[in-house]
C-alpha cells in the first residue's frame, strides 16, 4: 500500500467527504427502497453514484494517474541533463524525483510548507524516501519555504515546476506574488511549467508581466474535468520561457 501511494493521496479531506456523502445518500436510498423512510428519496441514486465515482477517480489519480501525467508533462521540456530545477510546492516529491531522473548532471530543489490537508503523509521525509527509492538521492534536496518568498537569489534555476500547489493560496495577491517570485529565481531562457486545477489565465498573465512568454495547454481529459465540474475545476498547464535579461 505504501508503494501504491508513495506520492500520497491528494486532498484526503475531499476524498473522505465524497465517500461519506456517497455512503449517506446510498444508505438513504436503500432505506427508502425497502420502505423504512416516511418520504421518497429516489433521486439520491445520482449523488450516490456521482460522489462515489468522484472519490474513486481521485484515489486512482493519486495511485496511478498523476504518475503517468507527470511523465507526459515533463516530456514537454527539452532536457539537456545539467539543469538546476526548482519544484514549488513539491509535496512528497512527485515532480522533484521525476525531474532528478532527467538531470543526471544537474540538481533539483523541492520547496513546500507541507500542509497535511493537501496530501496524505506530506513532509520532507517522504521526498527523501521517494528520491532514495528511485535512485536519485544525490541530486535532490528539499527545503521548508513559502512560495511567496523563495529563499534563492535571482536567476538561480533553469527550470521551474509547480504541480497543484499555487491554487492553495486563496488570495489572488498572494498567487501573483508567488508567480513573481518564481519568475525572479528563473534564469534567462529558463523554462516554466505550472500544472494546476484553476487560475491558469491569471498565472499566464502574471508570468508574462514578469518577463516570461507563456501559453496555456489543456488536454481532452482537462476539458472533461472542466465540463464535469461545471467550471469549478479548470485544469491544465501554463508553459513558458523566460526572455533574456
Amino acid at each position: 500500500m505504501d508503494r501504491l501511494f508513495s506520492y500520497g493521496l491528494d486532498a484526503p479531506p475531499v476524498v473522505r467527504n465524497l465517500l461519506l456523502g456517497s455512503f449517506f445518500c446510498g444508505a438513504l436510498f436503500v432505506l427508502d427502497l425497502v420502505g423504512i423512510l416516511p418520504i421518497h428519496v429516489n433521486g439520491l441514486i445520482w449523488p450516490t453514484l456521482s460522489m462515489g465515482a468522484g472519490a474513486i477517480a481521485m484515489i486512482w489519480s493519486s495511485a496511478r494517474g498523476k504518475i503517468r501525467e507527470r511523465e507526459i508533462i515533463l516530456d514537454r521540456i527539452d532536457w539537456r541533463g545539467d539543469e538546476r530545477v526548482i519544484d514549488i510546492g513539491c509535496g512528497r516529491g512527485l515532480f522533484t524525483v521525476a525531474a532528478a531522473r532527467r538531470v543526471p548532471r544537474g540538481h533539483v530543489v523541492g520547496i513546500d510548507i507541507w500542509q497535511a490537508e493537501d496530501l496524505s503523509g506530506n513532509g520532507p521525509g517522504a521526498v527523501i524516501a521517494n528520491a532514495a527509492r528511485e535512485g536519485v538521492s544525490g541530486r535532490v534536496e528539499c527545503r521548508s519555504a513559502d512560495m511567496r518568498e523563495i529563499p534563492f537569489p535571482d536567476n538561480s534555476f533553469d527550470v521551474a515546476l509547480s504541480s497543484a500547489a499555487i491554487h492553495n493560496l486563496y488570495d489572488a495577491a498572494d498567487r501573483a506574488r508567488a508567480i513573481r517570485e518564481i519568475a525572479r529565481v528563473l534564469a534567462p531562457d529558463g523554462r516554466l511549467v505550472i500544472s494546476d486545477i484553476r487560475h491558469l489565465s491569471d498565472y499566464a498573465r502574471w508570468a508574462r508581466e514578469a518577463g516570461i512568454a507563456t501559453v496555456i495547454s489543456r488536454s481532452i481529459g482537462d476539458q472533461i474535468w472542466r465540463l464535469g465540474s461545471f467550471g469549478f475545476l479548470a485544469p491544465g498547464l501554463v508553459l513558458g520561457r523566460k526572455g533574456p535579461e
Side-chain angles (χ1 to χ4, degrees), residues 50-132:
S50 63
M51 285 189 286
I56 292 170
M58 291 185 69
I59 292 169
W60 179 85
S61 175
S62 296
R64 293 285 183 243
K66 68 182 181 182
I67 295 174
R68 296 178 183 177
E69 184 67 17
R70 78 171 180 188
E71 302 302 323
I72 293 171
I73 291 171
L74 292 180
D75 282 346
R76 302 189 69 157
I77 298 175
D78 296 325
W79 298 93
R80 299 187 311 268
D82 62 352
E83 288 89 349
R84 303 160 297 166
V85 184
I86 185 169
D87 182 10
I88 297 99
C90 65
R92 293 177 58 126
L94 178 69
F95 276 75
T96 309
V97 171
R101 292 204 314 268
R102 288 164 166 76
V103 291
R105 302 180 307 282
H107 191 70
V108 185
V109 178
I111 67 168
D112 208 322
I113 57 174
W114 287 288
Q115 297 182 124
E117 61 267 27
D118 297 332
L119 188 68
S120 66
N122 212 3
V127 180
I128 301 305
N130 282 323

Side-chain angles (χ1 to χ4, degrees), residues 170-189:
Y170 300 122
D171 191 330
D174 285 334
R175 294 194 295 272
R177 183 178 174 187
I179 295 296
R180 289 193 294 270
E181 274 292 275
I182 294 169
R184 179 185 64 79
V185 300
L186 191 61
D189 203 39

